[in-house]
Short mmCIF file of all heavy atoms in Angstrom, two decimals:
data_model
loop_
_atom_site.label_atom_id
_atom_site.label_comp_id
_atom_site.label_asym_id
_atom_site.label_seq_id
_atom_site.Cartn_x
_atom_site.Cartn_y
_atom_site.Cartn_z
N GLN E 1 -115.19 117.68 -135.63
CA GLN E 1 -114.51 116.46 -135.22
C GLN E 1 -113.12 116.28 -135.84
O GLN E 1 -112.22 115.88 -135.21
CB GLN E 1 -115.38 115.24 -135.58
CG GLN E 1 -114.96 114.00 -134.84
CD GLN E 1 -116.04 112.88 -134.93
OE1 GLN E 1 -116.52 112.59 -136.00
NE2 GLN E 1 -116.32 112.46 -133.70
N ASP E 2 -113.00 116.72 -137.03
CA ASP E 2 -111.71 116.80 -137.67
C ASP E 2 -110.74 117.65 -136.92
O ASP E 2 -109.54 117.37 -136.80
CB ASP E 2 -111.77 117.20 -139.16
CG ASP E 2 -112.34 116.26 -140.06
OD1 ASP E 2 -112.31 115.01 -139.68
OD2 ASP E 2 -112.88 116.65 -141.15
N GLU E 3 -111.26 118.74 -136.38
CA GLU E 3 -110.52 119.76 -135.65
C GLU E 3 -109.96 119.09 -134.39
O GLU E 3 -108.78 119.25 -133.95
CB GLU E 3 -111.18 121.02 -135.30
CG GLU E 3 -110.39 122.06 -134.60
CD GLU E 3 -111.16 123.39 -134.27
OE1 GLU E 3 -112.03 123.63 -135.03
OE2 GLU E 3 -110.89 124.01 -133.29
N SER E 4 -110.83 118.29 -133.74
CA SER E 4 -110.45 117.60 -132.52
C SER E 4 -109.35 116.53 -132.75
O SER E 4 -108.37 116.43 -132.00
CB SER E 4 -111.71 116.89 -131.87
OG SER E 4 -111.28 116.15 -130.75
N LYS E 5 -109.48 115.92 -133.97
CA LYS E 5 -108.46 114.88 -134.32
C LYS E 5 -107.18 115.55 -134.56
O LYS E 5 -106.05 115.08 -134.07
CB LYS E 5 -108.92 114.14 -135.50
CG LYS E 5 -108.00 113.01 -135.99
CD LYS E 5 -108.61 112.27 -137.09
CE LYS E 5 -107.66 111.08 -137.51
NZ LYS E 5 -108.18 110.27 -138.59
N GLU E 6 -107.14 116.72 -135.27
CA GLU E 6 -106.00 117.41 -135.47
C GLU E 6 -105.25 117.95 -134.24
O GLU E 6 -104.03 117.88 -134.10
CB GLU E 6 -106.29 118.66 -136.41
CG GLU E 6 -106.57 118.29 -137.84
CD GLU E 6 -106.89 119.48 -138.67
OE1 GLU E 6 -106.48 120.63 -138.33
OE2 GLU E 6 -107.60 119.27 -139.68
N ILE E 7 -106.08 118.38 -133.28
CA ILE E 7 -105.59 118.78 -131.98
C ILE E 7 -104.91 117.73 -131.30
O ILE E 7 -103.80 117.75 -130.81
CB ILE E 7 -106.62 119.43 -131.09
CG1 ILE E 7 -107.07 120.75 -131.67
CG2 ILE E 7 -106.24 119.68 -129.71
CD1 ILE E 7 -108.35 121.36 -131.04
N ARG E 8 -105.56 116.54 -131.24
CA ARG E 8 -104.98 115.35 -130.58
C ARG E 8 -103.59 114.91 -131.29
O ARG E 8 -102.69 114.59 -130.57
CB ARG E 8 -105.92 114.22 -130.55
CG ARG E 8 -107.06 114.37 -129.67
CD ARG E 8 -108.03 113.12 -129.59
NE ARG E 8 -109.09 113.38 -128.68
CZ ARG E 8 -109.03 113.08 -127.44
NH1 ARG E 8 -107.98 112.51 -126.88
NH2 ARG E 8 -110.08 113.28 -126.68
N LEU E 9 -103.60 114.90 -132.59
CA LEU E 9 -102.41 114.56 -133.30
C LEU E 9 -101.28 115.55 -132.99
O LEU E 9 -100.11 115.14 -132.80
CB LEU E 9 -102.64 114.53 -134.71
CG LEU E 9 -103.45 113.27 -135.30
CD1 LEU E 9 -103.74 113.43 -136.77
CD2 LEU E 9 -102.68 111.97 -135.01
N ALA E 10 -101.59 116.83 -132.93
CA ALA E 10 -100.56 117.80 -132.55
C ALA E 10 -100.00 117.64 -131.23
O ALA E 10 -98.83 117.68 -130.91
CB ALA E 10 -101.11 119.23 -132.74
N LEU E 11 -100.99 117.29 -130.27
CA LEU E 11 -100.60 117.10 -128.89
C LEU E 11 -99.70 115.80 -128.76
O LEU E 11 -98.66 115.72 -128.01
CB LEU E 11 -101.81 116.91 -127.95
CG LEU E 11 -102.49 118.28 -127.60
CD1 LEU E 11 -103.75 117.99 -126.91
CD2 LEU E 11 -101.60 119.19 -126.84
N MET E 12 -100.07 114.76 -129.58
CA MET E 12 -99.23 113.52 -129.57
C MET E 12 -97.78 113.72 -129.96
O MET E 12 -96.89 113.26 -129.49
CB MET E 12 -99.90 112.49 -130.39
CG MET E 12 -101.18 111.92 -129.73
SD MET E 12 -102.15 110.74 -130.78
CE MET E 12 -100.97 109.41 -130.93
N SER E 13 -97.76 114.58 -131.07
CA SER E 13 -96.37 115.00 -131.63
C SER E 13 -95.62 115.65 -130.57
O SER E 13 -94.49 115.47 -130.27
CB SER E 13 -96.58 115.81 -132.86
OG SER E 13 -95.32 116.19 -133.33
N GLU E 14 -96.27 116.68 -129.86
CA GLU E 14 -95.53 117.44 -128.74
C GLU E 14 -95.14 116.44 -127.65
O GLU E 14 -94.14 116.61 -127.09
CB GLU E 14 -96.61 118.52 -128.29
CG GLU E 14 -95.92 119.45 -127.37
CD GLU E 14 -96.94 120.53 -126.89
OE1 GLU E 14 -97.92 120.83 -127.61
OE2 GLU E 14 -96.70 121.08 -125.84
N ALA E 15 -96.10 115.57 -127.26
CA ALA E 15 -95.77 114.56 -126.29
C ALA E 15 -94.50 113.73 -126.57
O ALA E 15 -93.80 113.50 -125.61
CB ALA E 15 -97.00 113.66 -125.99
N MET E 16 -94.51 113.41 -127.82
CA MET E 16 -93.28 112.47 -128.24
C MET E 16 -91.97 113.22 -127.91
O MET E 16 -91.08 112.50 -127.54
CB MET E 16 -93.33 112.22 -129.81
CG MET E 16 -94.35 111.25 -130.24
SD MET E 16 -94.03 109.50 -129.95
CE MET E 16 -92.74 109.29 -131.20
N ASP E 17 -91.92 114.44 -128.00
CA ASP E 17 -90.67 115.24 -127.76
C ASP E 17 -90.37 115.26 -126.28
O ASP E 17 -89.23 115.55 -125.99
CB ASP E 17 -90.78 116.69 -128.24
CG ASP E 17 -90.89 116.73 -129.84
OD1 ASP E 17 -90.42 115.77 -130.52
OD2 ASP E 17 -91.42 117.79 -130.30
N THR E 18 -91.27 114.94 -125.39
CA THR E 18 -91.07 114.96 -123.89
C THR E 18 -90.54 113.59 -123.47
O THR E 18 -90.20 113.44 -122.22
CB THR E 18 -92.33 115.38 -123.21
OG1 THR E 18 -93.35 114.35 -123.20
CG2 THR E 18 -92.88 116.73 -123.74
N LEU E 19 -90.68 112.55 -124.26
CA LEU E 19 -90.30 111.21 -123.85
C LEU E 19 -88.79 111.08 -123.68
O LEU E 19 -88.07 111.72 -124.34
CB LEU E 19 -90.80 110.12 -124.88
CG LEU E 19 -92.33 110.00 -125.01
CD1 LEU E 19 -92.58 109.02 -126.21
CD2 LEU E 19 -93.02 109.61 -123.77
N PRO E 20 -88.48 110.16 -122.75
CA PRO E 20 -86.96 109.72 -122.68
C PRO E 20 -86.62 109.14 -124.03
O PRO E 20 -87.44 108.59 -124.80
CB PRO E 20 -86.93 108.66 -121.71
CG PRO E 20 -88.16 108.87 -120.73
CD PRO E 20 -89.27 109.41 -121.72
N GLU E 21 -85.39 109.35 -124.40
CA GLU E 21 -84.93 108.95 -125.79
C GLU E 21 -85.29 107.51 -126.12
O GLU E 21 -85.80 107.24 -127.25
CB GLU E 21 -83.32 109.09 -125.86
CG GLU E 21 -82.78 108.73 -127.10
CD GLU E 21 -82.98 109.76 -128.16
OE1 GLU E 21 -83.44 110.95 -127.88
OE2 GLU E 21 -82.85 109.40 -129.33
N ARG E 22 -85.04 106.55 -125.20
CA ARG E 22 -85.30 105.20 -125.52
C ARG E 22 -86.82 104.88 -125.90
O ARG E 22 -87.14 104.26 -126.76
CB ARG E 22 -84.78 104.26 -124.37
CG ARG E 22 -84.78 102.81 -124.78
CD ARG E 22 -84.07 102.05 -123.87
NE ARG E 22 -84.79 101.71 -122.57
CZ ARG E 22 -84.26 101.14 -121.53
NH1 ARG E 22 -82.99 100.70 -121.47
NH2 ARG E 22 -84.92 100.96 -120.49
N GLN E 23 -87.70 105.56 -125.09
CA GLN E 23 -89.07 105.42 -125.33
C GLN E 23 -89.40 105.99 -126.69
O GLN E 23 -90.30 105.48 -127.44
CB GLN E 23 -89.98 106.00 -124.24
CG GLN E 23 -89.84 105.33 -122.95
CD GLN E 23 -90.70 105.99 -121.88
OE1 GLN E 23 -91.47 106.92 -122.09
NE2 GLN E 23 -90.53 105.59 -120.57
N MET E 24 -88.91 107.06 -127.07
CA MET E 24 -89.16 107.75 -128.26
C MET E 24 -88.70 106.96 -129.43
O MET E 24 -89.50 106.73 -130.41
CB MET E 24 -88.53 109.20 -128.33
CG MET E 24 -88.92 109.98 -129.59
SD MET E 24 -88.30 111.65 -129.54
CE MET E 24 -86.49 111.49 -129.35
N VAL E 25 -87.52 106.38 -129.29
CA VAL E 25 -87.04 105.55 -130.43
C VAL E 25 -87.99 104.25 -130.66
O VAL E 25 -88.23 103.96 -131.67
CB VAL E 25 -85.55 104.99 -130.00
CG1 VAL E 25 -85.11 103.88 -130.93
CG2 VAL E 25 -84.57 106.19 -130.05
N ILE E 26 -88.35 103.73 -129.60
CA ILE E 26 -89.22 102.49 -129.56
C ILE E 26 -90.54 102.88 -130.32
O ILE E 26 -90.92 102.20 -131.14
CB ILE E 26 -89.38 101.91 -128.25
CG1 ILE E 26 -88.15 101.25 -127.75
CG2 ILE E 26 -90.59 100.87 -128.25
CD1 ILE E 26 -88.15 100.84 -126.27
N LEU E 27 -91.22 103.97 -129.96
CA LEU E 27 -92.36 104.35 -130.54
C LEU E 27 -92.26 104.67 -131.95
O LEU E 27 -93.01 104.32 -132.84
CB LEU E 27 -93.04 105.54 -129.82
CG LEU E 27 -93.84 105.34 -128.57
CD1 LEU E 27 -94.46 106.52 -128.03
CD2 LEU E 27 -94.77 104.22 -128.69
N ARG E 28 -91.15 105.36 -132.36
CA ARG E 28 -90.96 105.74 -133.73
C ARG E 28 -90.70 104.37 -134.60
O ARG E 28 -91.20 104.33 -135.68
CB ARG E 28 -89.64 106.57 -133.94
CG ARG E 28 -89.95 107.97 -133.35
CD ARG E 28 -89.00 109.01 -133.97
NE ARG E 28 -89.12 110.27 -133.35
CZ ARG E 28 -90.11 111.14 -133.57
NH1 ARG E 28 -91.03 110.85 -134.38
NH2 ARG E 28 -90.07 112.30 -132.89
N LEU E 29 -90.01 103.42 -134.06
CA LEU E 29 -89.88 102.12 -134.62
C LEU E 29 -91.15 101.39 -134.82
O LEU E 29 -91.43 100.78 -135.86
CB LEU E 29 -88.83 101.26 -134.11
CG LEU E 29 -87.31 101.88 -134.27
CD1 LEU E 29 -86.52 101.05 -133.26
CD2 LEU E 29 -86.92 101.78 -135.66
N ARG E 30 -91.97 101.47 -133.80
CA ARG E 30 -93.35 100.84 -133.80
C ARG E 30 -94.17 101.47 -134.90
O ARG E 30 -94.97 100.88 -135.52
CB ARG E 30 -94.00 100.96 -132.45
CG ARG E 30 -93.44 100.15 -131.36
CD ARG E 30 -93.70 98.67 -131.59
NE ARG E 30 -95.09 98.38 -131.19
CZ ARG E 30 -95.72 97.38 -131.68
NH1 ARG E 30 -95.06 96.43 -132.50
NH2 ARG E 30 -96.97 97.07 -131.43
N MET E 31 -94.05 102.81 -135.02
CA MET E 31 -94.85 103.54 -136.05
C MET E 31 -94.42 103.21 -137.44
O MET E 31 -95.20 103.35 -138.45
CB MET E 31 -94.79 105.06 -135.86
CG MET E 31 -95.53 105.51 -134.57
SD MET E 31 -95.22 107.08 -133.96
CE MET E 31 -94.91 108.19 -135.35
N GLU E 32 -93.20 102.65 -137.53
CA GLU E 32 -92.68 102.12 -138.81
C GLU E 32 -93.08 100.76 -139.11
O GLU E 32 -92.72 100.19 -140.14
CB GLU E 32 -91.14 102.31 -138.90
CG GLU E 32 -90.62 103.73 -138.90
CD GLU E 32 -89.08 103.82 -138.83
OE1 GLU E 32 -88.44 102.68 -138.94
OE2 GLU E 32 -88.62 104.89 -138.62
N GLY E 33 -93.75 100.06 -138.13
CA GLY E 33 -94.27 98.82 -138.29
C GLY E 33 -93.44 97.79 -137.79
O GLY E 33 -93.73 96.59 -137.96
N LYS E 34 -92.34 98.12 -137.07
CA LYS E 34 -91.51 97.06 -136.36
C LYS E 34 -92.25 96.46 -135.23
O LYS E 34 -93.04 97.05 -134.53
CB LYS E 34 -90.23 97.65 -135.96
CG LYS E 34 -89.44 98.40 -137.01
CD LYS E 34 -88.63 97.51 -137.84
CE LYS E 34 -87.63 98.21 -138.68
NZ LYS E 34 -88.16 98.61 -139.98
N SER E 35 -92.00 95.14 -135.07
CA SER E 35 -92.48 94.42 -133.85
C SER E 35 -91.60 94.72 -132.75
O SER E 35 -90.50 95.13 -132.83
CB SER E 35 -92.55 92.90 -134.10
OG SER E 35 -91.17 92.44 -134.19
N LEU E 36 -92.19 94.36 -131.48
CA LEU E 36 -91.39 94.65 -130.27
C LEU E 36 -90.13 93.72 -130.28
O LEU E 36 -89.12 94.02 -129.82
CB LEU E 36 -92.30 94.46 -129.06
CG LEU E 36 -93.40 95.45 -128.83
CD1 LEU E 36 -94.21 95.02 -127.57
CD2 LEU E 36 -92.74 96.91 -128.60
N ARG E 37 -90.42 92.47 -130.82
CA ARG E 37 -89.26 91.54 -130.79
C ARG E 37 -88.11 92.01 -131.69
O ARG E 37 -86.97 91.89 -131.32
CB ARG E 37 -89.75 90.19 -131.23
CG ARG E 37 -88.65 89.12 -131.33
CD ARG E 37 -89.23 87.81 -131.58
NE ARG E 37 -90.05 87.36 -130.42
CZ ARG E 37 -91.13 86.56 -130.59
NH1 ARG E 37 -91.54 86.07 -131.73
NH2 ARG E 37 -91.81 86.23 -129.50
N ASP E 38 -88.52 92.56 -132.89
CA ASP E 38 -87.54 93.13 -133.83
C ASP E 38 -86.79 94.40 -133.15
O ASP E 38 -85.61 94.45 -133.32
CB ASP E 38 -88.22 93.59 -135.16
CG ASP E 38 -88.60 92.37 -136.00
OD1 ASP E 38 -88.18 91.33 -135.73
OD2 ASP E 38 -89.42 92.64 -136.92
N ILE E 39 -87.51 95.17 -132.51
CA ILE E 39 -86.95 96.39 -131.92
C ILE E 39 -86.00 95.95 -130.83
O ILE E 39 -84.87 96.47 -130.71
CB ILE E 39 -88.06 97.25 -131.29
CG1 ILE E 39 -88.95 97.84 -132.40
CG2 ILE E 39 -87.50 98.34 -130.42
CD1 ILE E 39 -90.14 98.60 -132.02
N ALA E 40 -86.41 94.90 -130.00
CA ALA E 40 -85.44 94.43 -129.01
C ALA E 40 -84.14 93.96 -129.55
O ALA E 40 -83.11 94.23 -129.04
CB ALA E 40 -86.21 93.28 -128.26
N ARG E 41 -84.19 93.24 -130.72
CA ARG E 41 -82.94 92.74 -131.37
C ARG E 41 -82.24 93.87 -131.84
O ARG E 41 -80.97 93.95 -131.68
CB ARG E 41 -83.38 91.80 -132.53
CG ARG E 41 -83.50 90.42 -132.16
CD ARG E 41 -83.55 89.51 -133.38
NE ARG E 41 -84.82 89.68 -134.13
CZ ARG E 41 -85.85 88.79 -133.97
NH1 ARG E 41 -85.70 87.77 -133.28
NH2 ARG E 41 -86.92 89.16 -134.75
N MET E 42 -82.85 94.91 -132.51
CA MET E 42 -82.11 96.03 -133.00
C MET E 42 -81.47 96.84 -131.88
O MET E 42 -80.31 97.34 -132.10
CB MET E 42 -83.16 97.03 -133.64
CG MET E 42 -83.71 96.40 -134.95
SD MET E 42 -85.11 97.41 -135.63
CE MET E 42 -84.28 98.95 -136.01
N LEU E 43 -82.04 96.98 -130.64
CA LEU E 43 -81.44 97.75 -129.58
C LEU E 43 -80.66 96.88 -128.74
O LEU E 43 -79.96 97.44 -127.74
CB LEU E 43 -82.61 98.41 -128.77
CG LEU E 43 -83.57 99.37 -129.56
CD1 LEU E 43 -84.57 99.88 -128.67
CD2 LEU E 43 -82.70 100.51 -130.11
N GLY E 44 -80.58 95.55 -128.87
CA GLY E 44 -79.82 94.70 -128.02
C GLY E 44 -80.39 94.69 -126.54
O GLY E 44 -79.56 94.59 -125.63
N LYS E 45 -81.74 94.79 -126.47
CA LYS E 45 -82.34 94.84 -125.19
C LYS E 45 -83.37 93.59 -125.05
O LYS E 45 -83.82 93.11 -126.13
CB LYS E 45 -83.24 96.05 -124.94
CG LYS E 45 -82.38 97.44 -125.08
CD LYS E 45 -81.63 97.52 -123.85
CE LYS E 45 -80.87 98.88 -123.92
NZ LYS E 45 -79.82 99.07 -122.93
N PRO E 46 -83.59 93.18 -123.85
CA PRO E 46 -84.61 92.03 -123.76
C PRO E 46 -85.96 92.54 -124.24
O PRO E 46 -86.31 93.71 -124.06
CB PRO E 46 -84.65 91.84 -122.21
CG PRO E 46 -83.38 92.37 -121.67
CD PRO E 46 -83.00 93.48 -122.62
N ALA E 47 -86.75 91.59 -124.87
CA ALA E 47 -88.08 91.87 -125.31
C ALA E 47 -88.88 92.48 -124.27
O ALA E 47 -89.74 93.34 -124.44
CB ALA E 47 -88.69 90.68 -125.97
N GLY E 48 -88.79 91.90 -123.02
CA GLY E 48 -89.64 92.40 -121.87
C GLY E 48 -89.31 93.85 -121.63
O GLY E 48 -90.25 94.66 -121.30
N THR E 49 -88.14 94.26 -121.66
CA THR E 49 -87.70 95.70 -121.33
C THR E 49 -88.37 96.64 -122.51
O THR E 49 -88.87 97.67 -122.14
CB THR E 49 -86.13 95.74 -121.36
OG1 THR E 49 -85.66 94.94 -120.34
CG2 THR E 49 -85.66 97.23 -121.20
N VAL E 50 -88.19 96.12 -123.75
CA VAL E 50 -88.76 97.00 -124.75
C VAL E 50 -90.26 97.03 -124.64
O VAL E 50 -90.84 98.16 -124.84
CB VAL E 50 -88.35 96.38 -126.18
CG1 VAL E 50 -89.12 97.05 -127.28
CG2 VAL E 50 -86.84 96.52 -126.32
N SER E 51 -90.93 96.05 -124.25
CA SER E 51 -92.34 96.04 -124.06
C SER E 51 -92.75 96.94 -123.00
O SER E 51 -93.75 97.73 -123.12
CB SER E 51 -92.90 94.56 -123.76
OG SER E 51 -94.28 94.59 -123.58
N VAL E 52 -92.05 96.93 -121.86
CA VAL E 52 -92.36 97.90 -120.74
C VAL E 52 -92.14 99.27 -121.14
O VAL E 52 -92.89 100.10 -120.93
CB VAL E 52 -91.49 97.50 -119.45
CG1 VAL E 52 -91.49 98.58 -118.52
CG2 VAL E 52 -91.97 96.17 -118.95
N ASP E 53 -91.04 99.56 -121.87
CA ASP E 53 -90.69 100.91 -122.30
C ASP E 53 -91.82 101.36 -123.36
O ASP E 53 -92.27 102.47 -123.28
CB ASP E 53 -89.38 100.94 -122.94
CG ASP E 53 -88.28 101.02 -122.09
OD1 ASP E 53 -88.45 101.39 -120.77
OD2 ASP E 53 -87.07 100.80 -122.44
N ASN E 54 -92.27 100.47 -124.13
CA ASN E 54 -93.39 100.88 -125.11
C ASN E 54 -94.63 101.22 -124.32
O ASN E 54 -95.27 102.21 -124.54
CB ASN E 54 -93.62 99.65 -125.99
CG ASN E 54 -94.71 99.93 -127.02
OD1 ASN E 54 -94.46 100.73 -128.01
ND2 ASN E 54 -95.82 99.27 -126.97
N SER E 55 -95.04 100.37 -123.35
CA SER E 55 -96.27 100.64 -122.52
C SER E 55 -96.15 101.98 -121.86
O SER E 55 -97.09 102.74 -121.76
CB SER E 55 -96.44 99.49 -121.57
OG SER E 55 -96.68 98.28 -122.29
N ARG E 56 -94.89 102.18 -121.20
CA ARG E 56 -94.73 103.43 -120.49
C ARG E 56 -94.83 104.64 -121.41
O ARG E 56 -95.37 105.71 -121.06
CB ARG E 56 -93.41 103.51 -119.82
CG ARG E 56 -93.42 102.51 -118.51
CD ARG E 56 -92.04 102.44 -117.83
NE ARG E 56 -92.10 101.53 -116.68
CZ ARG E 56 -91.02 101.19 -116.13
NH1 ARG E 56 -89.86 101.37 -116.46
NH2 ARG E 56 -91.17 100.27 -115.05
N ALA E 57 -94.26 104.51 -122.64
CA ALA E 57 -94.24 105.64 -123.60
C ALA E 57 -95.70 106.00 -123.93
O ALA E 57 -96.10 107.04 -124.01
CB ALA E 57 -93.51 105.28 -124.84
N LEU E 58 -96.51 104.91 -124.22
CA LEU E 58 -97.89 105.10 -124.52
C LEU E 58 -98.74 105.75 -123.39
O LEU E 58 -99.48 106.64 -123.61
CB LEU E 58 -98.63 103.84 -124.97
CG LEU E 58 -98.04 103.20 -126.32
CD1 LEU E 58 -98.51 101.85 -126.56
CD2 LEU E 58 -98.40 104.20 -127.49
N ALA E 59 -98.36 105.31 -122.19
CA ALA E 59 -99.03 105.85 -121.06
C ALA E 59 -98.67 107.39 -120.82
O ALA E 59 -99.42 108.16 -120.55
CB ALA E 59 -98.77 105.03 -119.76
N ASN E 60 -97.39 107.61 -121.02
CA ASN E 60 -96.96 109.03 -120.99
C ASN E 60 -97.60 110.01 -121.95
O ASN E 60 -98.00 111.08 -121.58
CB ASN E 60 -95.42 109.13 -121.03
CG ASN E 60 -94.69 108.54 -119.88
OD1 ASN E 60 -95.17 108.46 -118.83
ND2 ASN E 60 -93.45 108.12 -120.11
N ILE E 61 -97.71 109.47 -123.16
CA ILE E 61 -98.32 110.24 -124.19
C ILE E 61 -99.85 110.42 -123.81
O ILE E 61 -100.34 111.59 -123.99
CB ILE E 61 -98.16 109.60 -125.62
CG1 ILE E 61 -96.74 109.77 -126.05
CG2 ILE E 61 -99.15 110.24 -126.56
CD1 ILE E 61 -96.46 109.03 -127.30
N ARG E 62 -100.48 109.31 -123.43
CA ARG E 62 -101.94 109.40 -123.15
C ARG E 62 -102.15 110.50 -121.94
O ARG E 62 -103.03 111.32 -121.98
CB ARG E 62 -102.42 108.03 -122.67
CG ARG E 62 -103.91 107.91 -122.54
CD ARG E 62 -104.42 106.52 -122.41
NE ARG E 62 -103.50 105.50 -121.95
CZ ARG E 62 -102.84 104.63 -122.68
NH1 ARG E 62 -103.02 104.61 -123.97
NH2 ARG E 62 -101.96 103.72 -122.22
N GLU E 63 -101.23 110.37 -120.99
CA GLU E 63 -101.37 111.29 -119.80
C GLU E 63 -101.14 112.76 -120.25
O GLU E 63 -101.94 113.74 -119.87
CB GLU E 63 -100.38 111.00 -118.79
CG GLU E 63 -100.47 111.88 -117.51
CD GLU E 63 -99.50 111.40 -116.49
OE1 GLU E 63 -98.75 110.41 -116.64
OE2 GLU E 63 -99.38 112.09 -115.45
N PHE E 64 -100.12 113.01 -121.14
CA PHE E 64 -99.79 114.37 -121.55
C PHE E 64 -100.93 114.94 -122.38
O PHE E 64 -101.44 116.06 -122.12
CB PHE E 64 -98.56 114.23 -122.48
CG PHE E 64 -98.16 115.55 -123.06
CD1 PHE E 64 -97.15 116.32 -122.39
CD2 PHE E 64 -98.64 116.05 -124.21
CE1 PHE E 64 -96.67 117.56 -122.92
CE2 PHE E 64 -98.12 117.21 -124.76
CZ PHE E 64 -97.23 118.02 -124.08
N VAL E 65 -101.48 114.16 -123.38
CA VAL E 65 -102.57 114.60 -124.13
C VAL E 65 -103.84 114.84 -123.26
O VAL E 65 -104.49 115.92 -123.43
CB VAL E 65 -102.94 113.57 -125.30
CG1 VAL E 65 -104.24 113.96 -125.93
CG2 VAL E 65 -101.85 113.50 -126.26
N ASN E 66 -104.16 113.96 -122.35
CA ASN E 66 -105.36 114.16 -121.54
C ASN E 66 -105.22 115.39 -120.58
O ASN E 66 -106.13 116.15 -120.53
CB ASN E 66 -105.60 112.86 -120.68
CG ASN E 66 -106.23 111.85 -121.45
OD1 ASN E 66 -106.76 112.06 -122.49
ND2 ASN E 66 -105.98 110.57 -121.07
N ASP E 67 -103.98 115.63 -120.07
CA ASP E 67 -103.77 116.71 -119.26
C ASP E 67 -103.88 118.07 -120.06
O ASP E 67 -104.51 119.02 -119.61
CB ASP E 67 -102.33 116.73 -118.64
CG ASP E 67 -102.26 115.65 -117.54
OD1 ASP E 67 -103.23 115.12 -117.10
OD2 ASP E 67 -101.17 115.43 -117.05
N ARG E 68 -103.40 118.06 -121.22
CA ARG E 68 -103.44 119.30 -122.09
C ARG E 68 -104.90 119.60 -122.47
O ARG E 68 -105.34 120.69 -122.59
CB ARG E 68 -102.63 119.11 -123.35
CG ARG E 68 -101.16 119.18 -123.02
CD ARG E 68 -100.76 120.54 -122.42
NE ARG E 68 -99.40 120.53 -122.04
CZ ARG E 68 -98.39 121.06 -122.62
NH1 ARG E 68 -98.49 121.58 -123.69
NH2 ARG E 68 -97.17 120.98 -122.05
N LEU E 69 -105.72 118.47 -122.85
CA LEU E 69 -107.15 118.68 -123.16
C LEU E 69 -107.87 119.21 -122.06
O LEU E 69 -108.86 120.02 -122.17
CB LEU E 69 -107.69 117.34 -123.71
CG LEU E 69 -107.22 116.96 -125.10
CD1 LEU E 69 -107.71 115.56 -125.47
CD2 LEU E 69 -107.54 117.94 -126.12
N LYS E 70 -107.56 118.75 -120.81
CA LYS E 70 -108.25 119.26 -119.58
C LYS E 70 -108.03 120.75 -119.40
O LYS E 70 -108.94 121.60 -119.12
CB LYS E 70 -107.82 118.52 -118.40
CG LYS E 70 -108.41 117.16 -118.29
CD LYS E 70 -107.88 116.45 -116.99
CE LYS E 70 -108.17 115.00 -117.18
NZ LYS E 70 -107.45 114.24 -116.01
N ILE E 71 -106.78 121.14 -119.69
CA ILE E 71 -106.46 122.57 -119.53
C ILE E 71 -107.11 123.46 -120.59
O ILE E 71 -107.66 124.52 -120.26
CB ILE E 71 -104.84 122.76 -119.65
CG1 ILE E 71 -104.16 122.09 -118.46
CG2 ILE E 71 -104.41 124.26 -119.71
CD1 ILE E 71 -102.68 122.00 -118.63
N THR E 72 -107.14 122.98 -121.81
CA THR E 72 -107.72 123.82 -122.83
C THR E 72 -109.21 123.64 -123.10
O THR E 72 -109.87 124.34 -123.71
CB THR E 72 -107.12 123.45 -124.18
OG1 THR E 72 -107.24 122.19 -124.60
CG2 THR E 72 -105.56 123.85 -124.12
N GLY E 73 -109.61 122.45 -122.47
CA GLY E 73 -110.98 121.96 -122.74
C GLY E 73 -112.12 122.69 -122.14
O GLY E 73 -113.22 122.84 -122.46
#
């Protein structure tokens, strides 16, 4: 089970590199504990835009990881 977790973490890291720049920045800031509202202020973007980009980034990572696991699984 630890091996499976390590594989998923490696795939998530690889997936981060495939994201559009803005999505990657938002996720990195979220991982640092920043709120979506704080990120919106930092980037000078509407909170709704940041929220959508965050959701899309997570969906892209989920899809990337799931696709890779299907291929290797």
Side-chain angles (χ1 to χ4, degrees):
Q1 195 162 54
D2 285 339
E3 184 178 328
S4 175
K5 185 176 181 179
E6 287 178 25
I7 291 170
R8 286 181 183 275
L9 287 174
L11 287 172
M12 288 174 62
S13 177
E14 189 178 335
M16 287 280 290
D17 293 337
T18 70
L19 293 175
E21 181 73 18
R22 192 163 75 185
Q23 290 180 11
M24 186 172 56
V25 167
I26 290 168
L27 279 189
R28 290 200 188 281
L29 291 170
R30 291 290 287 157
M31 290 169 28
E32 292 175 9
K34 303 279 192 274
S35 71
L36 292 175
R37 183 173 291 148
D38 288 341
I39 295 168
R41 273 194 289 262
M42 291 169 68
L43 299 179
K45 302 286 181 190
T49 299
V50 171
S51 180
V52 168
D53 282 341
N54 182 69
S55 294
R56 287 180 179 160
L58 294 172
N60 288 338
I61 287 176
R62 191 170 20 258
E63 182 179 356
F64 182 94
V65 169
N66 288 337
D67 287 348
R68 292 297 171 101
L69 289 175
K70 287 177 192 172
I71 290 170
T72 61

